[in-house]
Every structure is written in structure tokens, then in C-alpha cells.
Amino acid sequence: MIHVLVGLNIAILLVLIGALVKMQQKHFSFSKRVFAGLGFGILLGIFLQIAYGAESGIVAQTTDWYSIVGRGYVRLLMMIVIPLVMVSIIQSIINLEKTSELGKMSGWIIGILVATAMVAAVVGIGSSLVFDLNAEQIEAGQAEQERGSFMEERLGEIEGMTTPQKILQFIPSNPFQDMTGERATSTIAVVIFSAIVGIAVLGVRRKIPEQAAIFIKGVHAVYAVVMRIVTLVLRLTPYGIMGLMASTVAQTNVAGILELGKFVLASYAALLVMFFLHLILLAVGGLNPLTYVKKVLPVLGFAFTSRSSAGTIPLNISAQKNSLGVDEGTANMSASFGATIGQNGCAGIYPAMLAVMIAPTVGIDPLSPGFLIQLILIIGISSFGVAGVGGGATFAALIVLSSMNLPVYLAGLLISVEPLIDMGRTALNVNGAMTSGTLTSRILGKLDVTKFNDKDAVEKDIAV
């Protein structure tokens, strides 16, 4: 009987996939198909939740099959991240007239990412205080205790590292290892390696132009192929989002959300405030926030459902270049750096909220200026190298809480609502990366404002 019901659920998914295919054949816009996939996924997840219950074996088996569509799509995106980052950055640097332009671009991108992460920390602190959050109000069950033990184990892996040692992790000692995504800082390491290759090519072009021309021609050819692969994969976005959303909603712990409703509400309040601050920054830069929102919503929708900043890099780059008018080099750099540096949601808001919640349990006044200043500075420094996949917020919280001499195990109390909150955090992380890219391109005078204001400026190949 179970197999019959699972088969029925799979058939429903296939019917919805067919509906999305029909929408594509009738030339519905890419954005409309993405949000149709999101809506189908939510409705399908609600159906599974009501019909069987989040913890039933039928739902577990059904979502296991759904993962072929959802997680399979994420794996395809992860497959192209490293090749895309490498070849895009090398080509971007080759196209620069002066190497000094690279320094300015990187400085503005990283500066905006870290600065907004520190602002996000202030927002997180404020939200915790407004909603009067306290770790003592949360009751720990077995799952929470196990998560606390896990976090203490993770802490043991990083506790012995000094700040200079953590910075050293960004420098690649084996670029081939980093190309496999083995380390939390692999994306940054690949960016650095690619930048070195690009700078080296500029030097060769000055001294041995004929040799540089051969390499540059090869890079352009590889770039064209990689971008075609990106286009092919991105066309699957509506289907991937539907599979991811259906699985997420079907397995959501509703009871846990209700129990920790105040923390969920406080988290999303902080995330929304920070999102509006991003829009204010764009408005100060002379850009229309509403136009920006309309163009980035499909990207944020995928980030929300996938909970992967790194997996969203291809969509991020595509949206910046083709919809927002950001120059190629800045789009590549901001998307790559934003996946691991200055994540506003995971490295900014989340650790700040936890610190303020936990401080009273050990007799520390969370309102004391010394505590607040130290917390904001530590979050700014520790926002480097946060993993761009699910679990990055945990890693950031470990670093911040241990640096503040606060007990890390208490952070395990939020395990039941972690996936729900992580969806919003990831969307904010990605929006922070796109905001930094757009602002940097604007500041450096490279933003195509006409394309930014063009409501029909989208990736034509994807919209087919």
C-alpha cells in the first residue's frame, strides 16, 4: 500500500512538471515559470503534510524521490560553480586595462559585504531585544541536546585557530583540492588562484603578446562553453525549485515552529529589515529599488528553497549581468565573494541574535556597550570564510559564541526551526552579494543603467 501511495505522489509531481513544460512551450516568462514552480511546490508539500504527516514513512520515501528533481538540480548547479568562477574571473581580469582596477573592485565588494554584515549584526541585536528573546525560555529535547553536542564537536575543530591562521585558510596551497570544494573556504581559494592566473596573463601579454594571445583565445572558448552549460542548467530552475519546496514543506516540523514561533518571527523581522536596508542603499546610489526587486526575485526564490549561497552563484551572476547591468568582472567577483564573505543572514543576524539570547544565561548584560561593540566587531571579522552551503550559519555561530566566551551548546536549542529560518537567511545572503555587486559597479562607473532600468532585460536564452 505504501508503494502505491508513493507512486501516486510521484505521479502528481510528474503532472506538475508537465504543466511547467506546457508553460515553457507557450513562452511564459522565466520569472513566471519560476514562481509557478514555487507555488506548485508549496501546494504539493502542504498536500503531503496534511495527507500523511511530516514524519510518516510515506513522506520520507516520497521526498526521497522528489530529491532527484530538487537536490539533483542543486548538484548540477554545484557542478558548474567552480568552472564558472574560475573561467569568469580569469576572463574578467584579462579584460581589465589595469591591474589596479582589480584592487578597487575587490576592495569595494568586500568592504560593502563586511560593512553590511556588521549592520546586520546591529539589526539582529535589536530584533532580539525588541522580541525579548532569552535562551532560558526554550526547552531542550533530545534532538536539541544532540545538536548541542555536535556544535561542541565542531567547535573543537576551529577553537585552536588564531585569526591569522583562519585568514591563511583563504590562500590555496592545492588549487586542485579546492576545485573539489573540499574546504569551507574553497570558493575564495579558487577566486584567489584564478585572480593570480589572470594577473599573470596580463604580465605575459606585455612581454610575450603572441603567447598570451593563444591562452586568451583558449579562455574565451572555454568561457563560451561554460556559459552555455550554465544556460542549460538554469533552464531547469522552475523544476528544481518545485522539487525542493515540496520536500521542504512536506517535512516541516509545524509543532516546532509553533513552539519557537517568537524566535522565528524575530528572525524574519530582522531579515526583512536588513533586506529593506539593502534597498535603501540602492536608492541612495540612484537606482530604483522596485526595479531591482522585480529582477532578482527568481534568484532569491531559488536561494530561499535551496538554502545554498554557493549553489546560487550561477543564477546570481546571470541576474547581475543580464538583468541588472552589472559589468562582468564585478558580477563574478561579488557572487563568488558573497558566497563566503560577509553573509548578512548567516554571519550577521544569526550569531548576533544567539549571542544576545545566550548572554543573560551566564550573567552578562546584553545591553552593556562593551558587550555590544565587541560582538559587532567580532561578527565583522568572523564573517570571512563562512561556508556557502547549509550549515554555514552554525559555523559562524560557533566562531562568534566561542570568541565571546559564551556556551555554544545552547545554540542547539533551535534545531526544530533551523531549516525554516535558514531559507530566509540564505536569500538575504544572496541579496547582499547582488547588492554589493550592483553598488560597486555603480560606484566604479561600470553599471549599464539603461539595462538596469529596462524591465525586459533578462537572460534571453533561459527564458526560451
Side-chain angles (χ1 to χ4, degrees), residues 313-335:
I313 287 177
L315 274 168
N316 187 334
I317 293 174
S318 178
Q320 287 194 59
K321 289 196 306 180
N322 301 298
S323 296
L324 298 176
V326 177
D327 65 286
E328 188 175 30
T330 303
N332 295 326
M333 285 286 189
S334 62

Side-chain angles (χ1 to χ4, degrees), residues 40 47 75 83 88 129 132 173 175 197-198 219 281 284 293 316 326 336 351 364 368 406 411 426 428 449:
F40 289 161
F47 164 74
R75 290 174 72 92
S88 296
L129 296 175
D132 192 27
S173 59
V197 172
V219 169
L281 287 175
V284 171
V293 170
N316 187 334
V326 177
S336 303
I364 297 176
S368 64
L406 296 172
T426 305
L428 183 65
V449 180

Side-chain angles (χ1 to χ4, degrees), residues 447-462:
L447 183 70
D448 186 342
V449 180
T450 301
K451 181 179 286 188
F452 180 94
N453 292 324
D454 182 2
K455 296 180 180 179
D456 298 321
V458 294
E459 175 59 74
K460 303 300 182 184
D461 288 339
I462 298 175

Side-chain angles (χ1 to χ4, degrees), residues 117-438:
M118 295 174 74
V119 173
V122 175
V123 172
I125 292 168
S127 183
S128 293
L129 296 175
V130 168
F131 283 86
D132 192 27
L133 299 180
N134 192 311
E136 292 177 337
Q137 301 169 353
I138 304 174
E139 186 176 343
Q142 182 178 354
E144 286 76 11
Q145 292 173 356
E146 291 176 354
R147 175 62 178 273
S149 300
F150 165 75
M151 295 186 76
E152 289 184 318
E153 290 176 6
R154 288 291 307 274
L155 177 61
E157 299 174 11
I158 62 173
E159 200 168 33
M161 295 178 63
T162 63
T163 299
Q165 289 172 337
K166 292 172 186 174
I167 294 174
L168 277 174
Q169 295 299 307
F170 302 150
I171 302 175
S173 59
N174 184 347
F176 297 101
Q177 178 192 25
D178 288 316
M179 288 176 197
T180 67
E182 183 71 21
R183 303 184 300 133
T185 55
S186 284
T187 303
I188 294 181
V190 169
V191 169
I192 293 173
F193 175 73
S194 303
I196 292 172
V197 172
I199 292 171
V201 174
L202 292 180
V204 173
R205 188 166 63 185
R206 288 195 303 270
K207 296 183 177 181
I208 320 175
E210 62 275 10
Q211 296 294 333
I214 296 173
F215 183 85
I216 291 172
K217 186 176 181 180
V219 169
H220 290 329
V222 173
Y223 178 78
V225 173
V226 169
M227 292 310 297
R228 190 57 189 168
I229 296 173
V230 170
T231 298
L232 293 175
V233 174
L234 293 188
R235 285 181 178 179
L236 301 174
T237 302
Y239 313 101
I241 284 182
M242 181 172 65
L244 288 167
M245 203 65 202
S247 297
T248 299
V249 174
Q251 296 177 305
T252 297
N253 184 347
V254 178
I257 293 173
L258 294 176
E259 184 179 344
L260 295 172
K262 190 163 77 165
F263 181 79
V264 174
L265 185 60
S267 297
Y268 272 91
L271 293 170
L272 287 173
V273 168
M274 197 61 212
F275 180 75
F276 281 115
L277 289 177
H278 287 168
L279 299 184
I280 290 172
L281 287 175
L282 292 168
V284 171
L287 301 173
N288 189 324
L290 295 179
T291 301
Y292 170 86
V293 170
K294 182 179 178 180
K295 293 189 172 188
V296 303
L297 271 178
V299 184
L300 299 183
F302 173 73
F304 185 82
T305 53
S306 69
R307 297 168 53 201
S308 173
S309 298
T312 313
I313 287 177
L315 274 168
N316 187 334
I317 293 174
S318 178
Q320 287 194 59
K321 289 196 306 180
N322 301 298
S323 296
L324 298 176
V326 177
D327 65 286
E328 188 175 30
T330 303
N332 295 326
M333 285 286 189
S334 62
S336 303
F337 281 138
T340 47
I341 292 177
Q343 295 190 345
N344 289 188
C346 290
I349 289 175
Y350 185 63
M353 291 184 69
L354 289 182
V356 173
M357 287 174 60
I358 294 171
T361 66
V362 291
I364 297 176
D365 180 9
L367 291 174
S368 64
F371 174 83
L372 294 176
I373 293 172
Q374 182 184 7
L375 176 60
I376 294 168
L377 290 175
I378 287 176
I379 284 177
I381 296 170
S382 65
S383 66
F384 285 81
V386 176
V389 294
T394 298
F395 188 77
L398 286 172
I399 297 174
V400 172
L401 295 179
S402 62
S403 300
M404 297 290 294
N405 295 317
L406 296 172
V408 299
Y409 71 90
L410 290 174
L413 298 174
L414 305 170
I415 184 174
S416 58
V417 294
E418 179 72 13
L420 177 62
I421 298 172
D422 198 39
M423 295 166 78
R425 288 194 307 241
T426 305
L428 183 65
N429 294 342
V430 172
N431 193 67
M434 289 191 288
T435 299
S436 71
T438 305

